[in-house]
Amino acid sequence: MTFAPAGRRSLRGGFGAAGAAALVALAAAPTQADAAGPDMAVGKLAPITGVKPGSSPEIPLSLKNRGTERAERVWLYLHGSAGLDFAKQHSNCTYAESGGYDEMPDAYDAICAVDQALEPGVVYVPEKAPRYNVQKRALYERLGVSVHLENPGWSDPDGTGDEVQGTGPALKLVERKTPVPGSDEDYSGASTRALVTADNTADFSLTGGELKGKAGETISAAFQFANKGPAWVDMNRVVSTATLTIKVRIPAGTTVTEAPRSCEKETAGEYTCVNQMGWVSEWSKWPYRFRLKIDKVVPGATGTASFVKAETPFDSNPANNTAEIVLNAASGTSSGGSGSSTTGGSSTGGSATTGGSTTGGSGSASSGGSASSSGGGPDSSSGGSSGSESSSVGGSSSSSGGSGASTAEGDLAATGSDSALLIAGTAAAALVAGGSLYVAMRRRRAS
């Protein structure tokens, strides 16, 4: 995973509902076709599927001067989403990584200055087509191309990283002699984008743990979500609302006294946790924490958390899509974690502390801790904040993952209360010192 170079602004975020508009905010409004002068348009890109991570496909680029006069020079702007970067193959192209922001994670850009005359009514194609690299993390991607009569500059100059000049032959355009057979060509605008789907997967997983307690006690119980990669996931390409839904069943003999705000009660002992996270970086993880009162001891009482299958079509490993939280398990059994119990609100089991580090984005946490996430989730840090943290999941676990925008309020392990709500499209909330509240929409920040 690529990180922001020192000295540049790191702008990472989660809510992808407006990502398509941000992706191609590259071209100035085109000149009217019937106005005097050059009027450049780019051929519409069709969806691209089945590309392999590690491959470098050609960009099917073509241009047409729809105007009445020739263009003396043009600039091409190439834009790739987080899983696509560009082969630095042309000496007249400058390449850079652009910072992510509220709608999208980091991306890659290139500006190519093509110093040659382009005649009216002529379709041009590259003599040697530029290529994009399909990264290991690629899955649901976007590729954008736009053409300009003046240097457009970077789409996000404050968030663009170090510029790298390409090597090799300059990008040169040549006249296309014959139309593409059977094509229905569209040169209606100065910009276009294609949805790119890589032949890749992401492993969304849930883990639970074991807890112990006596009748009348109140315990902290949690399960943890993680994306084990290798791909990051643009949830806008999977679910129209960019939603990840987790169904939760509480262990028998217990009553929920507090639940994350993103979780709603459906029936007695059953909850639905819904988060509109936009995008989820690979290797990100975060916990969902509940507080349960033990009404009566039911040996081996088991609660579960599971995904809605339709929201994880990219996941080829369903074995870890359901987690168990076992209360007062029989000796010798294990469900992959340890629990923490509290009486009267004080924690006596597993705990979360500050001091752990996150990989990818990072966030500040209160003593008691909360987990890091990418793309958002309960008990998670804002990707725009800096700091370090660790988390408690059914006892203890560390948090590592990408960056993203998310919220967390409270911490069960430390305070006896837990609530988290992730709302796509909201304005940035205040970040409270001590880490009890996190930013709901990650804001841009200076480096």
Side-chain angles (χ1 to χ4, degrees):
M1 180 174 179
T2 305
F3 296 100
R8 60 164 283 201
R9 195 169 60 161
S10 177
L11 305 172
R12 299 174 180 267
F15 307 85
L23 178 67
V24 200
L26 310 173
T31 308
Q32 294 296 323
D34 56 355
D39 179 19
M40 297 305 304
V42 61
K44 185 177 180 180
L45 295 176
I48 301 170
T49 61
V51 293
K52 305 287 185 182
S55 66
S56 298
E58 292 184 350
I59 300 174
L61 173 65
S62 64
L63 305 173
K64 184 177 182 179
N65 185 349
R66 304 180 305 176
T68 59
E69 299 177 6
R70 73 178 183 179
E72 299 297 337
R73 191 182 190 190
V74 297
W75 283 260
L76 293 174
Y77 197 118
L78 310 178
H79 184 94
S81 57
L84 307 178
D85 66 358
F86 297 103
K88 300 172 180 60
Q89 66 192 92
H90 298 295
S91 60
N92 57 338
C93 297
T94 304
Y95 304 84
E97 180 182 357
S98 63
Y101 49 104
D102 293 338
E103 288 80 18
M104 291 296 292
D106 283 8
Y108 298 88
D109 298 273
I111 298 177
C112 302
V114 182
D115 193 6
Q116 65 183 90
L118 303 179
E119 299 294 338
V122 178
V123 174
Y124 293 88
V125 294
E127 185 176 57
K128 182 180 180 181
R131 294 178 178 270
Y132 61 96
N133 299 320
V134 183
Q135 300 179 25
K136 178 183 177 181
R137 68 188 303 224
L139 179 56
Y140 301 125
E141 307 297 333
R142 290 180 173 87
L143 177 65
V145 178
S146 62
V147 60
H148 308 258
L149 294 173
E150 296 180 355
N151 189 341
W154 300 111
S155 60
D156 184 7
D158 291 336
T160 300
D162 297 336
E163 300 176 15
V164 177
Q165 198 69 30
T167 58
L171 176 62
K172 181 181 178 181
L173 299 175
V174 295
E175 181 178 346
R176 194 185 68 193
K177 299 299 183 182
T178 58
V180 176
S183 67
D184 183 14
E185 296 185 318
D186 183 352
Y187 292 92
S188 57
S191 66
T192 184
R193 71 174 184 273
L195 297 180
V196 180
T197 305
D199 186 7
N200 205 0
T201 62
D203 184 9
F204 277 19
S205 71
L206 294 168
T207 54
E210 289 187 6
L211 304 103
K212 293 186 181 298
K214 300 177 181 179
E217 287 186 326
T218 299
I219 64 172
S220 296
F223 61 91
Q224 180 168 268
F225 164 87
N227 177 12
K228 297 182 177 181
W232 76 288
V233 178
D234 181 353
M235 291 299 294
N236 295 280
R237 291 278 303 276
V238 183
V239 184
S240 60
T241 55
T243 298
L244 180 70
T245 305
I246 301 175
K247 298 290 187 178
V248 180
R249 183 168 59 85
I250 304 303
T254 66
T255 300
V256 175
T257 60
E258 295 184 52
R261 287 187 187 173
S262 59
C263 301
E264 293 188 1
K265 184 177 180 179
E266 299 293 338
T267 62
E270 293 185 356
Y271 283 73
T272 297
C273 300
V274 176
N275 282 289
Q276 293 173 291
M277 57 185 59
W279 62 279
V280 184
S281 182
E282 69 274 36
W283 313 121
S284 60
K285 58 180 69 174
W286 59 79
Y288 291 72
R289 289 194 270 261
F290 288 78
R291 282 184 64 78
L292 307 177
K293 180 181 179 182
I294 303 176
D295 300 315
K296 66 177 181 178
V297 173
V298 178
T302 302
T304 60
S306 58
F307 296 124
V308 172
K309 188 176 181 180
E311 296 174 1
T312 58
F314 46 79
D315 190 343
S316 61
N317 181 26
N320 59 10
N321 287 0
T322 298
E324 292 185 347
I325 298 175
V326 182
L327 179 57
N328 293 317
S331 178
T333 64
S334 174
S335 59
S338 57
S340 62
S341 65
T342 64
T343 303
S346 63
S347 176
T348 61
S351 64
T353 63
T354 59
S357 63
T358 61
T359 303
S362 56
S364 60
S366 64
S367 176
S370 61
S372 153
S373 73
S374 180
D379 303 331
S380 62
S381 71
S382 166
S385 303
S386 61
S388 59
E389 55 197 324
S390 65
S391 68
S392 167
V393 182
S396 61
S397 73
S398 65
S399 169
S400 65
S403 63
S406 55
T407 82
E409 294 176 302
D411 179 72
L412 284 178
T415 67
S417 66
D418 181 34
S419 56
L421 176 60
L422 188 59
I423 306 178
T426 60
L431 176 63
V432 177
S436 61
L437 291 175
Y438 291 94
V439 182
M441 286 287 287
R442 198 195 49 68
R443 298 171 293 182
R444 297 170 178 257
R445 66 179 179 85
S447 58

